[in-house]
DNA sequence: GGAATTTAGACTGTCAACATTTTACTTACT
DNA sequence: AGTAAGTAAAATGTTGACAGTCTAAATTCC
């Protein structure tokens, strides 16, 4: 066996590993329509990689090779590039000129800053919403919280998390500030990454929806201060689930000793 | 003269108009080095269009044709595309699928939301900075304010505006939250566009740097509440220079009557 | 045996031609 | 005349090939 043949096999194994991480068999061609199918594929690619990153099936630092992804999804490298740019916009991947894209590995400071930013922005959103929420909107929010609770009760964690995100986004929407809502979208997209990067293992992953209903009731009473405090406490609770205790020593040590794998699922 | 010839001329005139708006003669080839010259050209393109948009030499709604820009800067359309994507990231241009890019035309609501967001974020930044600013940093900030004042005194408005922006950015930097600093960068980039879009004509454009020094002194005393109030008042003052009084009726009317030019500098 | 240099392979960046969609004009019809 | 369908040009989207850059294995020299 020549060296190039060995290498070829190694590469293919790596691609296979990423393929399984992404849940892609080899070529998932959608309905036979070659019409606007590319845009759909682009969105699907974004969603798949997005979810894989948030689930840590593609751990921070994993290299995302354009050619491999292009082959996996059976699209041109240009499409891959666009998707990677979109992911980079949300800071889920990092684009290094001439050196490819990797899954973002948020630092401890970044994680703290992110939660601080969420407290700032969601605080402002809650303050705003308390003054202008309508009864119909309150009903809508209560439905969301209820659905979330039921999802968790049924053990459907994924659904619960989705509904939890929807709750936060609905609040932003109703606050009526599109700019802040946009920023919050970016923050929400990044939150699971930092949560999973630094979470202590055996802990409940969800926004405690009990806190969600507390926030909602505070909003309903029109007491802005109480509502803002409840939201900030909620986010503080989330942050405190992490172990952001600057245990970088060990991480750095691992890197220094060459024991840290830059591409965990690749050989 | 055939119709196609007439059209050709019209197109060339349009390109010329954009060229002069961008301050580009025909082909500005940098130093003979074909080394990393492309990246430099990409940055220059970004800067030129950026400034042209903020100066309203390219008014909101102006179409930015890829081919025209590619010809003007003597680069490939791919490069143009990347630059347009970067500009879209800051919401200075809008990318409409299959229909090209246009200079963003922020709505009245968007402008108000933008200023509200700035008050929220810069309020948090000031609150944070008041607790942790060092004497050295205070000195640095005082130098910035002083330079800004002198620039205005000499009548160098452009320099003054640049220094004003630097002041806001320096505050964000010193607050130590990279996420909020990043958001503020985006907001600062968009502010001049909405200012110019809705400014009442004869009014002083600058951040009154008197207010800057007031903010700075409040920070220096360590009184967080006063500092935050000063910053919010400063931004409120900026916003109040606009006429955001929902005079959309006239604008909409113009559009409805077909009197509104989508591409102001094109024939 | 270990470190620096060389060299082959892989990957990203760039480009120009091709395909598709939009746009605006012409032409025909009511 | 005004409107609507049809058509040609222009602009955007896509593709595959080529060029430059980085990575890493292999060789050579201490």
């Amino acid at each position: 066996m020549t060296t190039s043949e060995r290498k070829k096999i190694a590469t293919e194994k790596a691609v296979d590993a990423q393929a399984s991480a992404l849940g892609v068999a080899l070529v998932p061609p959608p309905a036979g329509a070659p019409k606007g199918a590319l845009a759909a594929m682009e969105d699907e690619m974004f969603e798949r990689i997005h979810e894989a990153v948030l689930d840590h099936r593609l751990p921070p630092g994993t290299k995302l090779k354009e050619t491999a992804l292009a082959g996996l999804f059976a699209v041109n490298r240009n499409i891959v590039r666009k998707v990677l740019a979109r992911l980079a916009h949300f800071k889920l991947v990092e684009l290094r000129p001439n050196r490819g894209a990797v899954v973002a590995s948020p630092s401890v400071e970044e994680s703290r800053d992110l939660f601080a930013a969420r407290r700032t922005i969601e605080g402002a959103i809650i303050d705003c919403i308390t003054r202008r929420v309508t009864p119909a909107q309150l009903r809508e929010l209560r439905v969301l919280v209820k659905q979330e609770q039921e999802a968790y009760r049924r053990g459907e964690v994924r659904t619960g998390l989705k509904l939890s995100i929807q709750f936060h986004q609905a609040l932003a929407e109703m606050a009526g500030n599109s700019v802040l809502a946009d920023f919050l979208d970016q923050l929400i997209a990044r939150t699971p990454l930092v949560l999973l990067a630094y979470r202590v293992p055996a802990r409940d992953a969800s926004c405690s929806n009990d806190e969600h209903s507390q926030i909602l009731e505070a909003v309903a009473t029109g007491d802005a201060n109480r509502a803002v405090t409840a939201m900030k406490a909620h986010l503080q609770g989330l942050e405190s689930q992490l172990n952001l205790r600057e245990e970088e020593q060990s991480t750095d040590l691992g890197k220094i000793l060459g024991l840290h794998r830059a591409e965990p699922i690749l050989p």
Side-chain angles (χ1 to χ4, degrees), chain A residues 70-147:
Chain A
L72 244 47
F73 287 89
V75 296
N76 195 281
R77 261 178 54 215
N78 252 323
I79 312 293
V80 177
R81 211 173 256 259
K82 274 201 277 183
V83 171
L84 290 176
R86 262 169 80 186
L87 290 165
H89 177 243
F90 286 96
K91 308 219 181 198
L92 292 176
V93 314
E94 187 188 350
L95 258 43
R96 305 166 305 174
N98 281 325
R99 304 196 48 224
V102 294
V103 177
S105 17
S107 67
V108 176
E109 297 84 30
E110 230 176 304
S111 305
R112 266 200 298 248
D113 290 352
L114 187 127
F115 276 103
R118 277 195 71 164
R119 282 196 294 275
T120 298
I121 287 173
E122 298 210 61
I125 283 171
I126 287 287
D127 184 67
C128 190
I129 218 176
T130 307
R131 300 169 208 289
R132 47 177 283 176
V133 70
T134 67
Q137 289 175 326
L138 273 176
R139 253 174 283 140
E140 197 180 323
L141 291 170
R142 287 208 177 90
V143 169
L144 267 177
V145 171
K146 186 154 192 161
Q147 286 179 335

Side-chain angles (χ1 to χ4, degrees), chain A residues 216-227:
Chain A
L216 189 48
E217 291 321 308
V219 169
T221 62
D223 185 344
N225 279 341
R226 206 184 96 199

Side-chain angles (χ1 to χ4, degrees), chain A residues 87-216:
Chain A
L87 290 165
H89 177 243
F90 286 96
K91 308 219 181 198
L92 292 176
V93 314
E94 187 188 350
L95 258 43
R96 305 166 305 174
N98 281 325
R99 304 196 48 224
V102 294
V103 177
S105 17
S107 67
V108 176
E109 297 84 30
E110 230 176 304
S111 305
R112 266 200 298 248
D113 290 352
L114 187 127
F115 276 103
R118 277 195 71 164
R119 282 196 294 275
T120 298
I121 287 173
E122 298 210 61
I125 283 171
I126 287 287
D127 184 67
C128 190
I129 218 176
T130 307
R131 300 169 208 289
R132 47 177 283 176
V133 70
T134 67
Q137 289 175 326
L138 273 176
R139 253 174 283 140
E140 197 180 323
L141 291 170
R142 287 208 177 90
V143 169
L144 267 177
V145 171
K146 186 154 192 161
Q147 286 179 335
E148 189 192 346
Q149 286 175 334
E150 285 169 3
Y152 283 127
R153 199 172 301 145
R154 285 194 302 263
E156 297 172 9
V157 179
R158 268 202 104 64
T159 310
L161 279 173
K162 275 217 165 69
L163 287 163
S164 167
I165 288 174
Q166 271 183 41
F167 177 70
H168 285 267
Q169 281 173 333
L171 288 173
E173 187 83 22
M174 292 175 187
N177 186 321
S178 60
V179 176
L180 285 180
D182 201 57
F183 284 159
L184 184 59
D185 268 351
Q186 296 180 38
L187 293 177
I188 286 177
R190 292 164 69 184
T191 300
L193 184 59
V194 311
L195 270 180
L196 287 166
Y198 294 107
R199 155 160 283 113
V200 300
R203 210 73 180 286
D204 186 12
S206 62
C207 290
S208 160
N209 54 14
D210 196 40
E211 289 175 4
H212 278 186
S213 63
Q214 279 176 24
I215 293 166
L216 189 48

